[in-house]
Amino acid sequence: MKAIAAVKQILGNLYSSLPQHKIGSAFAPVNIALCKYWGKRDIELNLPITSSFSVALPELGTRTSISILHGEHDRIQLNNQDIAINTQFAERLIEFLDFFRFTSKIHFSVTTTSNIPIGAGLASSASGFAALVLALDKLFGWGLPKQQLSILARLGSGSACRSLWNGFVKWHAGTAADGMDSFAEPMAMIWPDLMLGICMVSTAEKKISSRTAMQRTVTTSKYYNMWPEQVMHDLVAIEAAINKQDFNLLGEVVEANALAMHALMLTTQPPILYTTATTITLMEKVWQLRKAGTQVYFTQDAGPNLKLLFLRKDIALIKKTFNLSSVITLFPSDEYYE
Ligand code: PMV
């Protein structure tokens, strides 16, 4: 298995070492892509076709604790409830834990709490796998650099490799077949006035996973070859917009990037549509408000919910116009990218 080989390469002679602590515990934030990751060049290693760029939501995320369990199988708790090991959630987690089960007798107890809805296109798997990898690092006492932890998190869910930092983060696609050059890194840029609001359309679990949707897009959309070109342009424009603190440029590129990703999904066989009538009503509201002079833009992931980007000066108006479930200051302090 390529993933096990990658884990062995990262851990070196730490592979198969015993846990140094009784428990490892960590928090990781959700990240929202401003330039999306959509398409893999290696399915098993979650290697992307393009680079991507995100911003973390510092208040929202996952806290996970892990310890060794002397039992027959893993024990998984999510938000204070035991999760049956034959559920999709548990199976995905157990499959990932298998990479770190150095003897078949080792089992884990994982306790995870999340203040975001699971599977609703709010990147719960990103903060989940990132928190798990940070917790494993503490349990085993590996002390790995974050770049290496980013590679491990990527093996759980691609976008998880971006959830190890606050602030703006770039995931380098890399070109190596083993994925050792495909990791994320924090960008030393901040934007104190930048805000994000979540317009929750639905918290229900999505019908098609991003994993399936992404793969279907790559294999069946006639237009997929336009995507890497768009991303190349958008990444440059997003970084330039942040450097210049040009909010309209940032918003235009971010919104167009998300719309292009969803447009691509409409061209797959069979088509994929995460957008609902409510999503469209909200999009129209954003466009109307913008026409009337307010600087507000949206992005959308693999679900019907919209995330609004706006500046601190417009908080009152945005809150009045939209029913936001969270309003997040993306850079609550000056050194927030570390
Ligand atoms: O990492 P995954 O498999 O959950 O895919 C993430 C897909 C998007 O959220 C739509 C885009 C992104 O870059 O986060």
Side-chain angles (χ1 to χ4, degrees):
M1 248 175 91
K2 283 190 273 183
I4 294 270
V7 171
K8 283 189 174 159
Q9 196 170 335
I10 298 272
L11 291 179
N13 51 19
L14 291 172
Y15 187 82
S16 80
S17 65
L18 291 170
Q20 299 296 302
H21 303 281
K22 276 214 157 68
I23 192 161
S25 200
F27 174 83
V30 162
N31 77 77
I32 299 295
L34 301 178
C35 179
K36 310 292 183 193
Y37 144 58
W38 201 253
K40 301 178 201 213
R41 64 184 162 89
D42 186 306
I43 298 172
E44 188 187 338
L45 294 174
N46 288 334
L47 293 178
I49 290 169
T50 67
S51 296
S52 55
F53 194 101
S54 63
V55 66
L57 308 189
E59 294 161 27
L60 295 184
T62 306
R63 171 161 290 284
T64 292
S65 299
I66 183 160
S67 55
I68 297 294
L69 187 72
H70 300 286
E72 292 294 299
H73 49 71
D74 297 327
R75 179 167 176 234
I76 295 162
Q77 261 201 351
L78 170 65
N79 295 336
N80 300 319
Q81 295 208 321
D82 280 323
I83 302 289
I85 54 170
N86 58 357
T87 56
Q88 211 184 346
F89 179 88
E91 276 172 5
R92 197 161 164 209
L93 214 139
I94 289 167
E95 206 176 293
F96 183 74
L97 289 173
D98 285 347
F99 301 154
F100 307 96
R101 219 181 295 280
F102 304 133
T103 79
S104 56
K105 288 193 196 100
I106 269 198
H107 286 102
F108 297 99
S109 170
V110 179
T111 306
T112 185
T113 50
S114 180
N115 57 1
I116 33 161
I118 307 289
L122 282 172
S124 54
S125 63
S127 60
F129 281 108
L132 182 59
V133 163
L134 287 167
L136 280 164
D137 184 64
K138 290 190 178 156
L139 174 74
F140 283 99
W142 298 323
L144 288 173
K146 275 196 164 176
Q147 188 173 307
Q148 309 287 81
L149 294 174
S150 174
I151 293 178
L152 294 181
R154 192 198 71 226
L155 299 174
S157 164
S159 54
C161 77
R162 297 186 311 237
S163 264
L164 296 171
W165 298 271
N166 279 314
F168 295 120
V169 174
K170 186 171 183 178
W171 174 10
H172 302 281
T175 53
D178 63 6
M180 289 300 139
D181 57 355
S182 184
F183 50 80
E185 68 172 352
M187 307 299 283
M189 312 193 260
I190 64 164
W191 198 325
D193 286 337
L194 198 60
M195 310 288 300
L196 187 140
I198 298 177
C199 275
M200 200 71 88
V201 173
S202 161
T203 56
E205 189 122 353
K206 58 191 173 230
K207 287 191 190 79
I208 306 174
S209 69
S210 49
R211 181 174 287 241
T212 305
M214 211 180 271
Q215 202 45 29
R216 192 186 296 170
T217 311
V218 175
T219 52
T220 71
S221 170
K222 275 193 285 195
Y223 301 95
Y224 187 76
N225 58 4
M226 294 165 83
W227 178 248
E229 230 173 90
Q230 163 126 21
V231 168
M232 224 149 49
H233 163 271
D234 291 353
L235 285 172
V236 174
I238 286 172
E239 281 189 53
I242 296 170
N243 279 325
K244 287 189 283 188
Q245 308 263 289
D246 180 340
F247 182 70
N248 286 342
L249 175 60
L250 178 77
E252 269 162 31
V253 177
V254 168
E255 194 174 291
N257 183 273
L259 285 169
M261 178 181 79
H262 286 274
L264 269 185
M265 286 188 237
L266 286 177
T267 67
T268 63
Q269 269 317 316
I272 301 159
L273 184 62
Y274 288 115
T275 304
T276 65
T278 314
T279 316
I280 293 177
T281 306
L282 287 168
M283 286 177 177
E284 277 171 341
K285 227 176 183 181
V286 169
W287 293 329
Q288 266 165 20
L289 210 60
R290 210 150 76 212
K291 217 168 163 194
T294 306
Q295 296 172 285
V296 57
Y297 296 84
F298 64 80
T299 185
Q300 181 189 0
D301 292 291
N305 307 312
L306 289 190
K307 292 98 189 185
L308 306 185
L309 276 178
F310 54 95
L311 295 172
R312 194 183 298 278
K313 66 179 171 57
D314 293 318
I315 281 189
L317 179 69
I318 302 288
K319 273 188 171 166
K320 206 174 82 187
T321 316
F322 297 92
N323 185 10
L324 301 176
S325 60
S326 318
V327 176
I328 296 139
T329 302
L330 297 171
F331 294 88
S333 80
D334 283 355
E335 289 292 327
Y336 225 66
Y337 56 86
E338 287 295 359

